[in-house]
Amino acid sequence: MNVTIISTSHRKNSQSKRISNILASNIKEIDPYISLYNLDLGEVKLPLWSNEKKLGKGIWGKTWENISKKFKKSDGFIFVVPEYGGMAAPNAKNLFLLCGDKELTHKPALIVSISSGNGGAYPIADLRSFSYKNTHIMWIPENIIIRNVEEYEPGSHGEIIPEWLDNRIKYTLKLLLAYSSNMKPLRDLVNTKEFGNGM
């Protein structure tokens, strides 16, 4: 099974990237045979969507084609999304515009929202409301919010991180993997030729 983890922060060496690596380690503990693709949008600078993408030149050539192929092979996705100004990171929203070739169609995905303070709920509402129409991504009912993210270390929480957070993360990742495995047969029923976009 193939799972993609996407750090959607604009920054290099971001907290989103750090949390992505922690999630990857957790998944390997659950099932060492899972193939992981870790995409850091702080390192891979994808431009805003434009009509030039159709030409397949520059970054829309080999760079995007490789990302798109790995997305298409993926059975499930994890989006690690920082809260910027009470919204999902712009990189996250731009990525949904770029995925116009059914890369995410009818595949389960988990939102992991992070905040340097006590926020983190708004990116989840943002993505659940406005990312699925044409991509047909299927957000699982569970999500994770890591507040005061700079203080979070697995197994070493201090006073402001809930003790139960590690167990919640592991539980949610196991659910995502179950969705990813069991939804494969569903995709054989999908008619993207006639009904490629949402209503």
Side-chain angles (χ1 to χ4, degrees):
M1 186 160 59
N2 300 296
V3 173
T4 289
I5 304 175
I6 304 167
S7 168
T8 66
S9 174
H10 295 233
R11 301 171 181 170
K12 290 186 176 181
N13 300 314
S14 65
Q15 290 295 320
S16 299
K17 179 180 179 180
R18 185 175 74 86
I19 296 301
S20 294
N21 291 335
I22 291 171
L23 296 173
S25 296
N26 277 329
I27 289 175
K28 284 296 187 180
E29 286 179 14
I30 296 168
D31 185 346
Y33 297 102
I34 287 176
S35 177
L36 288 174
Y37 172 48
N38 230 325
L39 176 64
D40 179 9
L41 295 180
E43 294 286 342
V44 180
K45 301 290 188 182
L46 296 174
L48 292 175
W49 178 91
S50 72
N51 283 333
E52 293 177 3
K53 181 174 175 284
K54 295 178 182 178
L55 301 176
K57 295 180 179 179
I59 198 167
W60 305 124
K62 189 174 182 180
T63 300
W64 175 253
E65 285 176 6
N66 287 338
I67 293 171
S68 177
K69 285 177 183 176
K70 288 180 178 177
F71 281 10
K72 288 175 182 177
K73 289 181 180 178
S74 293
D75 301 299
F77 292 84
I78 300 171
F79 284 76
V80 182
V81 186
E83 185 173 73
Y84 287 178
M87 297 176 283
N91 264 347
K93 301 183 86 167
N94 184 53
L95 192 62
F96 293 109
L97 294 174
L98 299 179
C99 289
D101 197 21
K102 314 308 176 195
E103 290 93 343
L104 309 174
T105 298
H106 292 275
K107 295 179 181 180
L110 166 66
I111 303 171
V112 178
S113 177
I114 67 170
S115 172
S116 60
N118 289 318
Y122 287 110
I124 294 167
D126 194 2
L127 293 184
R128 286 193 186 279
S129 298
F130 301 111
S131 61
Y132 72 93
K133 177 185 172 289
N134 286 357
T135 64
H136 292 280
I137 195 168
M138 300 190 73
W139 299 115
I140 69 170
E142 297 289 342
N143 52 253
I144 297 169
I145 302 176
I146 303 177
R147 297 183 170 101
N148 303 298
V149 66
E150 287 90 350
E151 304 296 322
Y152 174 67
E153 290 290 343
S156 177
H157 290 154
E159 296 182 2
I160 59 176
I161 305 293
E163 286 296 327
W164 45 259
L165 185 56
D166 286 341
N167 288 336
R168 180 76 186 201
I169 289 171
K170 289 175 183 176
Y171 163 75
T172 308
L173 291 176
K174 287 178 181 177
L175 278 181
L176 173 70
L177 297 178
Y179 275 101
S180 300
S181 176
N182 287 288
M183 284 181 61
K184 288 181 181 182
L186 175 67
R187 291 196 285 276
D188 293 335
L189 304 175
V190 174
N191 182 347
T192 57
K193 291 183 179 180
E194 292 182 276
F195 307 111
N197 295 326
M199 292 181 69

Coordinates of all heavy atoms in Angstrom, one line a residue, residues 23 45 58 77 99-100 103 114 116 126 144 148 154 163-164 175-176 179 182 185 192:
L23 N 4.8 11.6 11.8 CA 3.7 10.7 11.3 C 4.2 9.6 10.4 O 3.7 8.4 10.5 CB 2.7 11.6 10.5 CG 2.0 12.7 11.2 CD1 1.2 13.6 10.3 CD2 1.1 12.1 12.3
K45 N 8.9 24.1 -4.6 CA 8.1 25.3 -4.7 C 7.3 25.2 -6.0 O 7.7 25.5 -7.1 CB 9.1 26.5 -4.8 CG 10.0 26.7 -3.6 CD 9.2 27.2 -2.4 CE 10.1 27.5 -1.2 NZ 9.4 27.9 0.0
G58 N 8.8 23.5 -18.1 CA 9.4 24.0 -16.9 C 9.1 23.1 -15.7 O 9.1 21.8 -15.8
F77 N -3.8 9.7 1.7 CA -3.1 10.9 1.8 C -3.2 11.5 3.2 O -4.2 11.3 3.9 CB -3.6 11.9 0.8 CG -3.3 11.6 -0.6 CD1 -4.2 10.8 -1.3 CD2 -2.2 12.1 -1.2 CE1 -4.0 10.5 -2.6 CE2 -2.0 11.9 -2.6 CZ -2.8 11.0 -3.3
C99 N -4.1 19.4 -8.9 CA -4.5 18.0 -9.1 C -5.7 17.9 -9.9 O -6.8 17.5 -9.5 CB -4.7 17.3 -7.7 SG -3.1 17.1 -6.8
G100 N -5.5 18.1 -11.2 CA -6.6 18.1 -12.2 C -6.7 16.8 -13.0 O -7.5 16.7 -13.9
E103 N -5.7 12.7 -9.6 CA -4.7 12.1 -8.6 C -5.3 11.8 -7.3 O -4.9 10.8 -6.6 CB -3.6 13.2 -8.4 CG -2.7 13.4 -9.6 CD -3.2 14.6 -10.5 OE1 -4.4 15.0 -10.4 OE2 -2.4 15.1 -11.3
I114 N -2.0 22.1 12.3 CA -1.1 22.4 13.4 C -1.2 23.9 13.6 O -1.5 24.7 12.8 CB 0.4 22.0 13.1 CG1 0.9 22.8 11.9 CG2 0.5 20.5 12.8 CD1 2.4 22.6 11.7
S116 N 0.7 27.2 16.2 CA 1.7 27.5 17.2 C 1.1 28.0 18.5 O 1.8 28.0 19.6 CB 2.6 28.7 16.7 OG 1.8 29.8 16.4
D126 N -12.0 24.8 6.6 CA -11.6 25.3 5.3 C -11.5 24.2 4.2 O -12.1 24.2 3.2 CB -10.3 26.1 5.4 CG -10.0 27.0 4.2 OD1 -10.9 27.1 3.3 OD2 -9.0 27.7 4.2
I144 N -6.8 15.4 13.1 CA -5.9 15.6 14.2 C -5.6 17.1 14.3 O -5.3 17.8 13.2 CB -4.6 14.8 14.0 CG1 -4.8 13.3 14.1 CG2 -3.5 15.2 15.1 CD1 -3.6 12.5 13.6
N148 N 0.0 24.3 20.0 CA 1.3 24.6 20.6 C 2.4 23.6 20.0 O 3.1 22.9 20.8 CB 1.2 24.4 22.1 CG 0.2 25.3 22.7 OD1 0.3 26.5 22.6 ND2 -0.9 24.7 23.3
P154 N 6.7 13.4 20.6 CA 6.1 12.1 21.0 C 6.7 11.6 22.3 O 7.9 11.5 22.5 CB 6.4 11.2 19.8 CG 6.7 12.1 18.7 CD 7.3 13.4 19.3
E163 N -1.9 14.5 27.3 CA -1.2 13.2 27.4 C -1.7 12.2 26.4 O -1.0 11.3 26.0 CB -1.4 12.6 28.9 CG -0.5 13.3 29.9 CD 1.0 13.1 29.6 OE1 1.4 12.1 29.2 OE2 1.7 14.1 29.9
W164 N -3.0 12.3 26.0 CA -3.6 11.3 25.1 C -3.3 11.6 23.7 O -3.7 10.8 22.8 CB -5.1 11.4 25.3 CG -5.7 12.7 25.3 CD1 -6.1 13.4 26.5 CD2 -6.0 13.6 24.2 NE1 -6.7 14.7 26.1 CE2 -6.6 14.8 24.7 CE3 -5.8 13.5 22.9 CZ2 -7.0 15.9 23.9 CZ3 -6.2 14.5 22.0 CH2 -6.8 15.7 22.6
L175 N -6.9 4.1 11.4 CA -8.1 4.3 10.6 C -7.9 4.7 9.2 O -8.5 4.1 8.3 CB -9.0 5.4 11.3 CG -9.8 4.9 12.5 CD1 -10.7 6.1 13.0 CD2 -10.8 3.8 12.2
L176 N -7.0 5.6 9.0 CA -6.7 6.1 7.6 C -6.2 4.9 6.8 O -6.6 4.7 5.6 CB -5.6 7.2 7.6 CG -5.1 7.5 6.2 CD1 -6.2 8.3 5.4 CD2 -3.9 8.4 6.2
Y179 N -9.1 2.7 5.8 CA -9.8 3.3 4.7 C -9.0 3.1 3.4 O -9.6 2.8 2.4 CB -10.0 4.8 5.0 CG -11.2 5.1 5.8 CD1 -11.1 5.5 7.2 CD2 -12.5 5.2 5.3 CE1 -12.2 5.8 7.9 CE2 -13.6 5.5 6.0 CZ -13.4 5.9 7.4 OH -14.5 6.2 8.1
N182 N -9.3 -0.5 2.2 CA -10.7 -1.0 1.8 C -11.4 -0.2 0.8 O -12.4 -0.7 0.2 CB -11.5 -1.1 3.1 CG -11.1 -2.2 4.0 OD1 -11.4 -3.3 3.8 ND2 -10.5 -1.8 5.1
P185 N -11.4 -1.2 -4.0 CA -12.4 -1.7 -4.9 C -13.4 -0.7 -5.4 O -13.9 -0.7 -6.5 CB -13.1 -2.8 -4.1 CG -12.1 -3.2 -3.1 CD -11.4 -1.9 -2.7
T192 N -15.2 8.6 -14.3 CA -14.6 10.0 -14.4 C -14.8 10.6 -15.7 O -14.6 11.8 -15.9 CB -13.1 10.0 -14.0 OG1 -12.5 9.0 -14.9 CG2 -12.9 9.5 -12.6

